[in-house]
Amino acid sequence: MVPTFYYRYTAGKLKMATTYKVKFDIAPEPVEVPAGTMITVAAEKAGIEINQPCGGQGRCGQCAVQVTAGNVRRRSTMRLSAEDVEQGYAIACQTTVEGDLTVIVPPQEKIQQHLTTGQSAADVSVPSGYDHHRNQTVHRIPVTLKHPSMEDQTSDWARLKTAVLLETGLTELSISLPVLQILPAVLREGDWKVTPVLYVEDGMKSGGTGEIIDLIPGLVAEDAPLWGAAVDIGTTTVKVMLVDLISGEPKGQATEYNAQIARGEDVISRIIFAGKGEGDKTLRTLVLESINELLERACQRSKSCPDKIYKITISGNSTMMHLMLQIPPSSIRLAPYITVANYIPVMSSLEAGLSTHPQGKVICLPGVASYVGSDISAGVLSSGMSETEKITLFLDVGTNGEMVLGSKEWLVTCACSAGPAFEGAGVYHGMRATTGAIDEVWINEETKEAAFRVIGEGKPKGLCGSALISLLAELLMTKVINKSGRFDFSLDTKRVRKGSHGGEYVVSWADQNEIDEDIIITEVDIDNLMRAKAAIFAGFSVLGDSVGMPLDSVEQVLIGGGFGQYINVEKAVQIGLLPDMPWERFQFLGNTSLKGAYLALLDFKYQQEISEIANRMTYIELSADNRFFDAFTSAMFLPHTDMTLFPSVKIGGDK
Amino acid sequence: MVPTFYYRYTAGKLKMATTYKVKFDIAPEPVEVPAGTMITVAAEKAGIEINQPCGGQGRCGQCAVQVTAGNVRRRSTMRLSAEDVEQGYAIACQTTVEGDLTVIVPPQEKIQQHLTTGQSAADVSVPSGYDHHRNQTVHRIPVTLKHPSMEDQTSDWARLKTAVLLETGLTELSISLPVLQILPAVLREGDWKVTPVLYVEDGMKSGGTGEIIDLIPGLVAEDAPLWGAAVDIGTTTVKVMLVDLISGEPKGQATEYNAQIARGEDVISRIIFAGKGEGDKTLRTLVLESINELLERACQRSKSCPDKIYKITISGNSTMMHLMLQIPPSSIRLAPYITVANYIPVMSSLEAGLSTHPQGKVICLPGVASYVGSDISAGVLSSGMSETEKITLFLDVGTNGEMVLGSKEWLVTCACSAGPAFEGAGVYHGMRATTGAIDEVWINEETKEAAFRVIGEGKPKGLCGSALISLLAELLMTKVINKSGRFDFSLDTKRVRKGSHGGEYVVSWADQNEIDEDIIITEVDIDNLMRAKAAIFAGFSVLGDSVGMPLDSVEQVLIGGGFGQYINVEKAVQIGLLPDMPWERFQFLGNTSLKGAYLALLDFKYQQEISEIANRMTYIELSADNRFFDAFTSAMFLPHTDMTLFPSVKIGGDK
């Protein structure tokens, strides 16, 4: 399946008159496409959906096809052996049509339905063995009470309590005032049949304690949905996943920009905003509006409503967590960079300001430090790295780069203020990964002409993060820039020129654009990007160094975060953003933060585990670490000063 | 001391021309007073304060003087032996001047300063051995924290928590969002010296758990006041006592009518009001306004303010508790007469709607049943009956009569809907015990003329509860009415006459009154009062019967409640309201409900004890008990059908 929001638009090539016919074995007729068309696009035209789990970035190799006749150009042969290539195999999403073709599409077990609920929907599945009786902290306990009489004048609450204790084996049960206030009406409405909703912090167990958070008249069927929600508050986007706590199944997701964006793109500018006047109140209101709107949207799809949601788990970076709760965040920004709290008390939705059931529980997952929040501790859980014996590097790149090195034995973590360059900010034509953003760029090695891909159906407006990585790598690999990021003005191309910001390269000419100017990348942009990638790579170095371990002993690299999902690893290695190691060691996990929140929502043991992870992670403060500055300086080349660290990167060589 | 609010006004006697001289041994000169003047009044005129702990009602005997020469009339010789009387001893507040006198005033250890803070201030003292470290659940823990640094990036909350756990020996500490929100500013304002206010539900103990409910910058001195408040919510009045939890001392009291009165005088009419439209919300608002205003007033006197109060204990009847919390009370009124809850969860002031510190704890003390509320369980605690081996009858008469029989071994309780007659309601000229109310009446045995006492300085407006008891007794003892409560129209007095409501007796003529009519008591009034007293006496009978115990085996009768404080026992026995037993068995305890709330405020063990008392009281539902109706019918005479139950009552005999 080609994600519908990718409209393939290969700028330079559309002008070519040459077209070729492509005949797929499973299609009745050949299709005609311009030279340079990606095979996946040709397949789409032929009505064939080719499975592309990695989203068409050449990483997973799942879209491999066999070209039995005709000429193709392989941009990448990742995942293919030399023998495969010999047999005509090609990665459909990385191979262009350069002649009339005959193509065999290998049988797919099934066409995966990706991204059904939005671009960045987390791909989660119910943990095997999930049993809401055993794992869940929210339970419905239907009970039938004896009618009161002159012989039995027990109060409503004592009557209910006795029945629930008997039914559950709990020894203590509490109730809050708002529930007491509805108790008499609910009992009588259901003719003394009632279904209390219980919250049992440590799980349902004999001798435990519980709290009644709601009362439903009558006896509710055991398999009726019982709603919870997992929330990931990112600096840029907020994601909500609605979950049926009985089956454990996600029943809807919704994603939206964090409405705080209008008050600052990164955490630092938000912290500054929060400190002015009622800025903190404004930011709280904005993010709550975002969450509440998403809850509403997720519920509509499942015919639920937010006030039926009894439990929410929330992950996010420490600043987002502070801002959502209106806890003053200023100490995060100022040395010695500390949070007010990494462990936030469980509170009611009412206290938190959420639109979920007022007595519903809000569980803000614990973070580690100012710049390693619960998005990372939840991410570590969902990545599985805290349970494996393999030495693992976990990475989440957004505005900051947070990384964790370790295994089940030990965990060290750090964050480098990479800046928002990889999110498109601080770059002249940078933009977020929305409609109109170029998200992938290819440069012809000889002509230095650019081809690119645009998100959505339309003309380009700017460059998003993955395009910047791709562009930087292509500029380097085609020698348009040198290892220091400086342009080669001696090249015979109009695309390299001197502009008002110094050297620049034109990615897309004004007449092809949605905007009235050329889309360019400048030397200043390149410098920003190099600083960002150098900071991240320096982070890896310090982490390794802190445990006396060279980076090549890392057995797997797990990449989380919405951004990570779309990084082209090959190109990220080429610019020295990711360490150079065999492809199979890299895994893209998608939104690990939301997945962690989902797991914590389902099972209190996962929730406890996130606390333990947060607790046992050793935080390394890079701003106080000279090693970091050394490593940073060394990484301020493309890919690196020390080329022995990047043996696979052959600049200008055959690919 | 003569309470200043009692203005002695002896109606019939002021017209007499005769005056006598009274010489007190400790006064330089004799004073001249009209015949019939009370000795206490004569003493006042002579500048002598005679100690009257019971308020001048002849109950305590503390005002006894020795009349060595001259003629007196003793209205009561209670507390005096025949020998005492022979030696000239007389109860000064019950003895009138009927000739020139020489009087010896026995040396008083000290003149007690009663009622310093208002008519109904509870007379409490700090329990001996009170130690706030050991007994209190609210503590201030001043701590000095290490400054954060790049080497120690612990979060504010973790830094504080660690220090407090170390200081206290607690093992778990929680914090709520509002406190987290102020944490960073408070820590920095006090330069990392801070005084958290802790709530430790089970007292401060090693291994316990606590909650930080407030933070004060800097180190607060150990003996600085730490405020708490005890509240008694009566159907008619609300009482607040401000307490310094460090010393345990009451620092101010304030009393005011429950503002709900305007929406119904008794609990039944309030319940009905609550059920209509937003009546429940209105009643909640009204009583909260009353409490909050009283807190403000009590604080002004101590230069405190309500938001510095961290803990409130509240006692009150079950309806008042439901209404304050807006828990629907309708099931209290309808068979089978049950509450929604007798045990109310501890909540924050914010949840409760009080003006005290938002995170302050509100502890609503537990009641037993619809008509035996926490005013009674708290009252039983403060009366000491649950700790004594003596068979005790505890009685609290207000709108309803609640009573408890038992000892440390067992407790049975019941409530009889006596109706508000003894509070002056449902009686033609009845009124509450405020300025202008006649509160005591004497009738001349021969002339059938009335003398009375008025509260405050002014003319009478009506009859309050204690006057009604007194009047009924005097009418009976002077044979103006018979045992069935019917008037003797054959008497030669204008005061007995037939009015529009049947027979009536004129207590005060219109020209002496503040109101433009004669103040009377009618046969209908008498009937109402007889029903009320019969209900109460029937309650005693059923309680005794339920445990197979005749009333005369009761070793002490403890009378609580604001009303009880002013009952004239002699007269209450004469009408058959109280059982006939030796005077020394009666004790008046004042506001036992507020005292119980005060004890629970100081010591969590007292608080637990009230729960245990509420739990072990066996409630007897009188409306379902045929014995009650029989006992009631038998008690519908003055004093009773069975005169053997009242051996001391000699109608028309010498007193």
Side-chain angles (χ1 to χ4, degrees):
Chain A
M1 188 199 72
V2 177
T4 53
F5 52 87
Y6 280 128
Y7 173 70
R8 269 151 184 77
Y9 181 87
T10 314
K13 311 283 175 167
L14 284 176
K15 293 178 179 167
M16 295 182 186
T18 326
T19 59
Y20 297 110
K21 282 185 182 157
V22 182
K23 172 71 179 83
F24 293 95
D25 62 337
I26 57 172
E29 299 293 333
V31 289
E32 198 163 330
V33 296
T37 298
M38 206 64 78
I39 291 182
T40 44
V41 177
E44 196 181 2
K45 200 167 177 189
I48 297 165
E49 286 192 27
I50 293 184
N51 191 19
Q52 296 177 77
C54 75
Q57 294 174 63
R59 295 192 314 256
C60 65
Q62 297 289 304
C63 63
V65 293
Q66 193 177 7
V67 181
T68 52
N71 205 21
V72 293
R73 181 178 172 221
R74 291 180 173 84
R75 294 190 184 282
S76 166
T77 56
M78 176 174 66
R79 307 273 175 200
L80 298 180
S81 64
E83 198 181 336
D84 288 339
V85 175
E86 199 139 321
Q87 293 175 10
Y89 279 97
I91 307 298
C93 71
Q94 297 290 318
T95 304
T96 55
V97 177
E98 307 292 348
D100 291 336
L101 302 183
T102 311
V103 180
I104 297 172
V105 180
Q108 298 281 325
E109 297 262 313
K110 62 174 181 179
I111 302 298
Q112 283 182 295
Q113 286 294 321
H114 274 272
L115 303 166
T116 45
T117 54
Q119 172 180 354
S120 45
D123 181 24
V124 298
S125 52
V126 183
S128 70
Y130 174 68
D131 174 357
H132 94 275
H133 291 289
R134 203 173 51 234
N135 308 126
Q136 192 44 253
T137 55
V138 178
H139 296 265
R140 277 189 309 245
I141 310 293
V143 285
T144 301
L145 306 179
K146 254 185 71 182
H147 285 56
S149 65
M150 293 300 279
E151 288 69 46
D152 175 8
Q153 291 179 305
T154 311
S155 71
D156 288 355
W157 165 224
R159 186 176 303 274
L160 176 65
K161 184 174 175 177
T162 305
V164 173
L165 292 182
L166 197 70
E167 184 70 26
T168 58
L170 296 171
T171 50
E172 200 38 62
L173 197 61
S174 64
I175 192 166
S176 60
L177 181 57
V179 186
L180 264 186
Q181 287 170 332
I182 63 164
L183 174 61
V186 171
L187 290 185
R188 285 155 186 87
E189 185 185 337
D191 192 27
W192 304 92
K193 291 181 177 65
V194 63
T195 305
V197 179
L198 260 65
Y199 178 72
V200 281
E201 193 166 12
D202 302 321
M204 188 64 87
K205 63 182 177 193
S206 183
T209 65
E211 180 191 343
I212 295 185
I213 58 176
D214 196 16
L215 295 165
I216 306 165
L219 305 176
V220 177
E222 206 179 330
D223 59 354
L226 178 63
W227 299 110
V231 177
D232 171 43
I233 308 179
T235 310
T236 306
T237 50
V238 179
K239 298 183 172 71
V240 160
M241 186 193 287
L242 181 72
V243 178
D244 174 10
L245 303 178
I246 300 293
S247 67
E249 282 168 16
K251 293 291 189 182
Q253 289 191 46
T255 301
E256 191 47 85
Y257 288 117
N258 183 335
Q260 292 178 340
I261 279 187
R263 303 299 194 282
E265 296 237 339
D266 53 47
V267 297
I268 300 300
S269 51
R270 302 250 179 105
I271 292 173
I272 292 169
F273 186 86
K276 289 180 187 163
E278 294 212 311
D280 55 346
K281 206 171 149 186
T282 304
L283 292 179
R284 182 184 201 188
T285 306
L286 287 171
V287 72
L288 289 176
E289 280 172 7
S290 292
I291 301 172
N292 289 336
E293 193 194 310
L294 288 170
L295 288 167
E296 186 70 43
R297 224 193 285 166
C299 283
Q300 279 169 358
R301 291 177 183 155
S302 301
K303 290 171 188 157
S304 176
C305 58
D307 68 4
K308 285 183 185 161
I309 297 176
Y310 290 113
K311 182 182 176 187
I312 283 206
T313 47
I314 303 182
S315 59
N317 67 55
S318 300
T319 302
M320 289 307 109
M321 212 57 108
H322 280 58
L323 292 178
M324 183 192 74
L325 299 169
Q326 213 178 321
I327 298 172
S330 59
S331 62
I332 290 179
R333 186 172 75 91
L334 304 169
Y337 317 112
I338 62 177
T339 61
V340 174
N342 295 320
Y343 289 78
I344 305 287
V346 173
M347 63 190 80
S348 68
S349 301
L350 193 71
E351 285 177 280
L354 293 172
S355 61
T356 40
H357 188 279
Q359 271 60 61
K361 294 295 177 182
V362 178
I363 295 147
C364 296
L365 296 169
V368 178
S370 277
Y371 295 101
V372 177
S374 62
D375 47 347
I376 303 306
S377 37
V380 166
L381 174 91
S382 71
S383 77
M385 79 175 284
S386 59
E387 291 297 307
T388 180
E389 290 183 359
K390 284 188 190 168
I391 303 300
T392 304
L393 179 65
F394 173 76
L395 173 65
D396 191 332
V397 179
T399 307
N400 284 301
E402 295 109 336
M403 52 200 76
V404 187
L405 180 65
S407 66
K408 65 189 286 194
E409 306 294 339
W410 51 273
L411 296 166
V412 290
T413 184
C414 71
C416 24
S417 31
F422 287 126
E423 288 185 321
V427 171
Y428 192 69
H429 276 121
M431 64 180 287
R432 289 193 297 268
T434 55
T435 303
I438 293 173
D439 77 334
E440 179 82 81
V441 181
W442 299 271
I443 295 177
N444 186 300
E445 213 175 328
E446 277 150 45
T447 64
K448 315 301 182 194
E449 284 298 293
F452 51 79
R453 190 168 65 187
V454 180
I455 299 176
E457 312 203 1
K459 293 179 178 178
K461 295 178 196 166
L463 299 155
C464 77
S466 58
L468 292 169
I469 293 172
S470 177
L471 180 54
L472 201 59
E474 293 279 306
L475 290 172
L476 176 70
M477 301 308 281
T478 58
K479 295 186 174 170
V480 175
I481 57 174
N482 66 15
K483 290 174 64 181
S484 301
R486 300 294 149 210
F487 283 106
D488 180 355
F489 292 108
S490 70
L491 292 173
D492 179 22
T493 170
K494 283 186 293 177
R495 290 190 181 251
V496 175
R497 67 189 187 193
K498 287 201 178 169
S500 53
H501 297 81
E504 61 188 37
Y505 174 85
V506 181
V507 181
S508 174
W509 300 103
D511 58 5
Q512 296 171 3
N513 297 345
E514 183 71 28
I515 56 174
D516 271 346
E517 54 182 297
D518 298 339
I519 293 173
I520 57 170
I521 183 164
T522 70
E523 273 184 5
V524 176
D525 294 340
I526 292 172
D527 210 54
N528 279 337
L529 291 166
M530 282 172 69
R531 284 179 187 282
K533 78 96 190 169
I536 291 168
F537 194 80
F540 299 149
S541 307
V542 174
L543 277 192
D545 202 49
S546 70
V547 291
M549 182 171 276
L551 276 183
D552 58 13
S553 43
V554 168
E555 295 167 83
Q556 58 178 354
V557 180
L558 306 179
I559 303 178
F563 176 70
Q565 222 166 347
Y566 297 97
I567 291 180
N568 182 320
V569 174
E570 183 183 24
K571 293 180 173 176
V573 170
Q574 285 167 351
I575 65 167
L577 168 62
L578 293 180
D580 191 5
M581 52 180 66
W583 289 105
E584 60 272 16
R585 293 198 200 163
F586 289 89
Q587 269 184 61
F588 291 83
L589 304 179
N591 190 331
T592 47
S593 170
L594 185 61
K595 281 183 192 168
Y598 164 73
L599 292 173
L601 178 71
L602 282 193
D603 190 335
F604 68 98
K605 289 204 175 108
Y606 283 131
Q607 186 191 327
Q608 290 166 355
E609 219 169 297
I610 291 175
S611 285
E612 283 156 26
I613 287 167
N615 194 41
R616 73 188 180 90
M617 271 200 254
T618 305
Y619 175 69
I620 296 172
E621 174 62 50
L622 296 187
S623 66
D625 199 320
N626 281 329
R627 293 174 303 184
F628 178 72
F629 294 105
D630 296 343
F632 177 76
T633 310
S634 304
M636 272 300 283
F637 282 80
L638 294 172
H640 198 271
T641 319
D642 181 0
M643 284 300 288
T644 64
L645 291 172
F646 290 85
S648 84
V649 181
K650 309 284 183 217
I651 296 167
D654 270 305
K655 286 195 290 180
Chain B
M1 189 198 74
V2 177
T4 52
F5 51 88
Y6 280 130
Y7 173 71
R8 268 149 184 78
Y9 181 89
T10 315
K13 309 284 173 162
L14 283 177
K15 292 177 181 167
M16 294 182 185
T18 326
T19 61
Y20 295 110
K21 281 183 182 154
V22 182
K23 173 68 181 83
F24 292 95
D25 62 338
I26 56 170
E29 299 294 330
V31 288
E32 199 163 329
V33 296
T37 299
M38 205 65 78
I39 289 180
T40 45
V41 176
E44 195 182 3
K45 198 170 179 188
I48 298 166
E49 287 191 25
I50 293 182
N51 191 21
Q52 296 177 77
C54 75
Q57 294 174 61
R59 297 193 312 257
C60 65
Q62 297 289 304
C63 64
V65 292
Q66 192 177 9
V67 180
T68 52
N71 205 21
V72 293
R73 183 181 170 219
R74 291 177 173 83
R75 293 190 186 282
S76 165
T77 55
M78 176 175 67
R79 306 279 175 196
L80 299 180
S81 63
E83 200 182 333
D84 288 337
V85 174
E86 196 139 322
Q87 290 174 10
Y89 279 97
I91 307 297
C93 72
Q94 297 290 316
T95 304
T96 54
V97 178
E98 307 292 347
D100 292 338
L101 303 183
T102 308
V103 180
I104 296 173
V105 180
Q108 297 280 327
E109 297 261 314
K110 61 174 183 179
I111 302 298
Q112 285 182 295
Q113 286 294 324
H114 274 272
L115 303 165
T116 47
T117 53
Q119 174 179 353
S120 45
D123 181 24
V124 298
S125 50
V126 183
S128 68
Y130 173 68
D131 174 357
H132 94 275
H133 292 289
R134 202 173 52 235
N135 307 129
Q136 191 45 253
T137 54
V138 179
H139 295 266
R140 275 189 311 244
I141 310 293
V143 285
T144 301
L145 306 179
K146 254 185 70 180
H147 285 57
S149 66
M150 294 300 281
E151 289 68 47
D152 175 8
Q153 292 181 304
T154 311
S155 71
D156 288 355
W157 166 222
R159 186 175 302 274
L160 176 66
K161 185 174 175 178
T162 305
V164 173
L165 292 181
L166 197 70
E167 183 69 26
T168 56
L170 295 171
T171 49
E172 200 39 58
L173 196 62
S174 64
I175 193 166
S176 61
L177 181 58
V179 187
L180 264 187
Q181 288 170 332
I182 62 164
L183 174 60
V186 171
L187 290 185
R188 286 154 186 87
E189 185 184 337
D191 192 28
W192 304 91
K193 292 181 177 65
V194 63
T195 305
V197 179
L198 260 67
Y199 178 71
V200 281
E201 193 166 14
D202 301 322
M204 188 64 86
K205 62 182 176 193
S206 183
T209 66
E211 179 190 344
I212 295 185
I213 58 175
D214 196 16
L215 295 164
I216 307 166
L219 306 175
V220 177
E222 205 180 329
D223 59 354
L226 178 64
W227 299 111
V231 178
D232 171 45
I233 308 179
T235 310
T236 305
T237 51
V238 179
K239 297 183 174 69
V240 160
M241 186 193 287
L242 182 72
V243 178
D244 174 10
L245 303 178
I246 301 292
S247 66
E249 282 169 16
K251 294 290 189 182
Q253 289 192 45
T255 301
E256 192 48 85
Y257 288 117
N258 184 334
Q260 292 178 340
I261 279 186
R263 303 298 193 281
E265 297 239 338
D266 53 46
V267 297
I268 299 302
S269 51
R270 302 252 178 103
I271 292 173
I272 292 169
F273 186 87
K276 289 180 187 162
E278 295 212 311
D280 55 346
K281 205 171 150 187
T282 304
L283 291 180
R284 183 183 201 191
T285 305
L286 287 171
V287 71
L288 288 176
E289 280 172 5
S290 292
I291 299 172
N292 288 337
E293 194 194 310
L294 288 170
L295 288 167
E296 186 70 44
R297 224 193 285 167
C299 283
Q300 279 168 358
R301 290 178 184 156
S302 301
K303 290 169 188 159
S304 175
C305 60
D307 68 5
K308 287 184 184 160
I309 297 175
Y310 290 112
K311 182 182 176 186
I312 285 205
T313 47
I314 303 181
S315 60
N317 67 55
S318 300
T319 303
M320 290 306 109
M321 213 59 108
H322 280 59
L323 292 178
M324 182 192 74
L325 300 169
Q326 212 178 322
I327 299 173
S330 59
S331 61
I332 291 178
R333 187 172 75 92
L334 305 168
Y337 316 112
I338 62 176
T339 61
V340 174
N342 296 319
Y343 289 78
I344 306 287
V346 173
M347 63 190 80
S348 68
S349 300
L350 192 73
E351 285 176 281
L354 293 172
S355 61
T356 41
H357 188 280
Q359 271 61 60
K361 295 295 177 181
V362 178
I363 296 146
C364 295
L365 296 169
V368 178
S370 277
Y371 295 101
V372 177
S374 62
D375 48 347
I376 303 306
S377 36
V380 165
L381 174 89
S382 71
S383 77
M385 80 175 284
S386 59
E387 290 298 307
T388 181
E389 289 184 359
K390 284 188 190 169
I391 303 300
T392 303
L393 179 64
F394 172 76
L395 173 65
D396 190 333
V397 179
T399 306
N400 285 302
E402 294 109 337
M403 54 200 78
V404 186
L405 180 65
S407 66
K408 64 189 287 190
E409 307 294 339
W410 50 272
L411 296 165
V412 290
T413 183
C414 71
C416 25
S417 32
F422 287 126
E423 288 183 321
V427 171
Y428 192 67
H429 276 121
M431 65 180 285
R432 289 192 295 269
T434 55
T435 303
I438 293 173
D439 77 334
E440 179 81 82
V441 181
W442 299 272
I443 296 177
N444 186 299
E445 213 176 326
E446 277 151 42
T447 64
K448 315 301 181 193
E449 285 297 293
F452 51 79
R453 193 168 62 188
V454 180
I455 298 175
E457 312 202 1
K459 293 180 177 178
K461 296 178 195 165
L463 299 155
C464 77
S466 59
L468 293 169
I469 293 173
S470 175
L471 179 55
L472 201 59
E474 293 280 306
L475 290 171
L476 176 70
M477 300 308 281
T478 58
K479 295 187 174 168
V480 175
I481 57 173
N482 65 15
K483 290 174 64 181
S484 301
R486 301 294 151 214
F487 284 105
D488 180 355
F489 293 107
S490 70
L491 292 174
D492 179 22
T493 171
K494 284 185 290 176
R495 289 187 182 253
V496 176
R497 67 190 188 193
K498 287 199 177 169
S500 53
H501 297 82
E504 61 189 36
Y505 174 85
V506 181
V507 181
S508 175
W509 300 104
D511 57 5
Q512 297 169 3
N513 296 345
E514 183 73 28
I515 56 174
D516 272 345
E517 53 182 296
D518 298 338
I519 294 173
I520 56 168
I521 183 165
T522 69
E523 273 183 6
V524 176
D525 296 339
I526 291 172
D527 210 53
N528 278 336
L529 290 165
M530 283 173 68
R531 283 180 187 283
K533 78 94 191 172
I536 291 168
F537 195 81
F540 300 148
S541 307
V542 173
L543 278 192
D545 201 49
S546 70
V547 290
M549 182 171 280
L551 276 184
D552 57 14
S553 43
V554 168
E555 293 166 84
Q556 58 177 354
V557 180
L558 305 179
I559 303 177
F563 175 69
Q565 223 165 346
Y566 298 97
I567 292 180
N568 182 320
V569 174
E570 182 184 23
K571 291 177 175 179
V573 170
Q574 284 168 351
I575 65 167
L577 169 62
L578 292 180
D580 192 4
M581 51 180 67
W583 289 105
E584 60 273 15
R585 293 196 199 165
F586 289 90
Q587 270 184 59
F588 291 83
L589 303 179
N591 190 330
T592 47
S593 170
L594 186 61
K595 281 182 194 170
Y598 164 73
L599 291 173
L601 179 70
L602 282 193
D603 191 334
F604 68 96
K605 292 210 172 103
Y606 282 131
Q607 186 191 327
Q608 289 167 353
E609 218 168 298
I610 292 175
S611 285
E612 282 156 27
I613 287 169
N615 194 40
R616 73 190 180 91
M617 272 200 256
T618 305
Y619 176 69
I620 296 170
E621 174 62 50
L622 295 187
S623 67
D625 199 320
N626 281 328
R627 292 174 303 183
F628 177 73
F629 294 105
D630 296 343
F632 176 78
T633 310
S634 303
M636 273 297 285
F637 282 81
L638 295 170
H640 198 271
T641 319
D642 180 0
M643 285 300 287
T644 64
L645 291 171
F646 290 84
S648 84
V649 181
K650 309 286 183 214
I651 296 167
D654 268 306
K655 286 195 288 179

